[in-house]
Amino acid sequence: MIRDATAADHAALLELNAANVPEVGTMDAAKLDFFFAESPYFKVVEVDGAVVGMLVGLTEANTDYPSKNYHWFVE
């Protein structure tokens, strides 16, 4: 099932991200809070009640996001 991410997913999302470094960048609670506050599209994939994936969509309006890769895509 694909659904909106919620605050209840916080721990699962941090764990999922940590388990997939270096394929994805590191994420701490502050970065996750940024995504919850600023992302217009933040979904999770749930299988058998467990969060197994996420998609964070940002827009050009998120110019204060410090990722070099993000800024490359915006340009």
Side-chain angles (χ1 to χ4, degrees):
M1 171 172 70
I2 298 173
R3 61 172 175 76
D4 290 335
T6 68
D9 298 316
H10 199 269
L13 292 171
L14 289 174
E15 184 178 325
L16 176 66
N17 192 88
N20 288 283
V21 172
E23 288 81 10
V24 298
T26 59
M27 181 167 49
D28 59 11
K31 186 184 281 188
L32 183 57
D33 289 343
F34 172 85
F35 288 144
F36 270 107
E38 299 295 327
S39 176
Y41 191 87
F42 193 170
K43 302 289 184 179
V44 297
V45 177
E46 193 176 282
V47 175
D48 296 330
V51 174
V52 298
M54 69 176 134
L55 174 62
V56 179
L58 296 172
T59 66
E60 287 186 50
N62 302 111
T63 56
D64 57 341
Y65 181 53
S67 166
K68 288 187 257 180
N69 292 336
Y70 168 74
H71 287 280
W72 182 84
F73 277 108
V74 168
E75 288 176 17

